[in-house]
């Protein structure tokens, strides 16, 4: 058995800090480590203890680097990598102007391969070890993503985006082919290595009731898969859903009516919810995915994190690449902090890190595997340089607690703060050490 002892500062946020206190929910070791064997975490704790427990382990010492679980990005569109930061549109115009033409290009499998590789390289450079991604309607876009992730040993989740109305020619499937293509991809990829399949109707405006019904049936046949879609992102979108579905009680009802609401459902954005929707989402154990840079960039609105957490919702955090304006979960935490301020609740660094790791992992129903430093979990880690730029270094230099030390990196950090990224115990990226 080869054992690796990864040393640095270790911040282990072992329980949900919302409703607790940051210090009660976490353990910090200024000289700590994570002991890894066969891609799994054997132990996390003080460096001295781990050294005596594993005297023959290969040591990788990151000095002052801060070891955290690798970031988990719970809602992305990897095919939108090349159109990130496209100017000037709100949701529906943004989809029609930038997104759909770009997604059309994924009819070429070589293009899908190129973007999947590029996207996952960006992810690793940013310390993100898991993403839950929409693909395009093309099955080859799903293949490309899973193959690129498998090559890196990454635990990703993804699915074919299904659309059979209100999308351009060449970018529509139908209820039958959405079911058949999704079923074939699911059979091929779900549970292969670290891959998981996500049944993926884009959103109600682009899926007929027949398509939602077919995908609900597929989910019932494969209950341990995930399901992802969008919910109540912009007011225009909600009005459109109400026009399309006068019979529905609310937007969520259009999913609920077709078996698409239960544990394992990830609803992106979920900003403008009605009370019934909130109650049903919580009672069903579905997850709300907060996409703060996207919600600001596309002009969608302010997600009420404090309320959602107080209600007992499962909440994950995500970039929503490329509606979101960054690949970085640090930047995403910063945006979540800013939106917290605008809604009257400053989120503590412990809460931000929790959302970006364990919160997203819980949303993906994988809290024991990823987003955690607990023994037995997968050794997906990020090591952060807490002084990655002069501006951050001068502020962090005054820190008196680990929270003061990490917050400047959360607010001002980017991929330069990634000292190393480990995927299943294997170091994939280290700008300082090659
Ligand atoms: N709603 C439906 N599709 C999309 C998408 O690709 N991005 C975002 N942000 N919202 C959507
Ligand atoms: Zn999205």
């Amino acid at each position: 058995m080869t054992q690796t002892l990864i040393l640095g500062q270790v911040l282990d946020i072992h329980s949900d800090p919302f409703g607790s206190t940051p210090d009660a929910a976490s353990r910090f070791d200024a000289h700590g480590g994570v002991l890894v064997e066969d891609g799994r975490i054997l132990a996390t704790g003080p460096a001295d203890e781990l050294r005596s427990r594993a005297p023959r382990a290969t040591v990788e010492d990151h000095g002052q680097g801060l070891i955290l679980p690798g970031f988990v990005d719970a809602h992305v569109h990897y095919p939108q990598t090349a159109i990130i930061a496209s100017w000037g549109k709100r949701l529906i115009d943004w989809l029609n102007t930038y997104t759909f033409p770009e997604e059309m290009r994924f009819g070429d499998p070589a293009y899908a391969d190129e973007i999947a590789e590029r996207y996952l390289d960006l992810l690793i450079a940013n310390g993100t070890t898991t993403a839950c991604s929409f693909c395009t309607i093309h099955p080859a876009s799903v293949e490309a993503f899973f193959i690129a992730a498998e090559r890196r040993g990454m635990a990703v989740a993804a699915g074919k985006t299904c659309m059979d109305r209100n999308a351009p020619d060449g970018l529509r499937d139908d209820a039958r082919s959405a079911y058949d293509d999704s079923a074939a991809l699911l059979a091929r990829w779900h549970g292969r290595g670290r891959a998981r399949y996500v049944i993926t109707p884009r959103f109600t405006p682009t899926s007929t009731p027949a398509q939602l019904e077919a995908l609900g049936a597929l989910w019932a046949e494969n209950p341990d898969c995930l399901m992802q879609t969008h919910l109540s992102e912009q007011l225009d979108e909600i009005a459109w859903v109400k026009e399309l579905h006068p019979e529905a009680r609310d937007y969520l009802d259009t999913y609920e009516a077709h078996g698409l609401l239960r544990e394992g459902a990830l609803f992106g954005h979920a900003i403008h919810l009605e009370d019934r929707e909130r109650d049903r989402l919580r009672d069903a154990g579905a997850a709300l995915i907060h996409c703060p840079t996207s919600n600001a960039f596309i002009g969608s609105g302010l997600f009420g994190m404090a309320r959602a957490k107080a209600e007992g919702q499962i909440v994950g955090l995500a970039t929503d690449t490329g509606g979101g304006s960054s690949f970085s979960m640090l930047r995403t935490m910063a945006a979540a902090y800013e939106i917290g301020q605008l809604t009257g609740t400053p989120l503590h660094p412990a809460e931000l890190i929790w959302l970006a790791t364990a919160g997203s992992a819980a949303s993906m129903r994988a809290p024991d595997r990823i987003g955690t430093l607990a023994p037995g979990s997968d050794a997906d880690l990020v090591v952060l340089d807490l002084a990655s730029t002069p501006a951050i270094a001068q502020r962090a230099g005054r820190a008196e607690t680990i929270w003061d030390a990490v917050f400047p990196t959360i607010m001002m950090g980017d991929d330069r703060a990634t000292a190393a990224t480990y995927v299943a115990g294997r170091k994939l990226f280290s700008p300082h050490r090659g």
Side-chain angles (χ1 to χ4, degrees), residues 130 196 226 357-358 360-372 377:
T130 287
R196 293 166 76 205
L226 301 168
T357 54
S360 287
S363 302
M364 296 177 66
R365 290 175 90 187
D368 301 331
R369 298 253 56 81
I370 57 174
T372 172
S377 65

Side-chain angles (χ1 to χ4, degrees), residues 70-73 76 116-133 144-158 189 191-196 364 370 378-381 421-429:
F71 298 129
V72 179
D73 191 341
V76 312
E117 293 287 334
R118 185 189 304 174
Y119 172 74
L120 290 178
D121 285 347
L122 285 164
L123 220 58
I124 293 297
N126 280 286
T128 301
T129 45
T130 287
C132 187
S133 187
F145 188 70
F146 278 131
I147 288 169
E150 189 172 65
R151 199 173 291 136
R152 292 165 175 78
M154 295 173 74
V156 297
W189 285 104
R192 170 165 152 180
R194 306 184 75 199
R196 293 166 76 205
M364 296 177 66
I370 57 174
D378 299 339
D380 290 351
L381 308 169
T421 304
Y422 288 86
V423 170
R426 206 159 59 90
K427 190 163 65 179
L428 289 192
F429 179 77

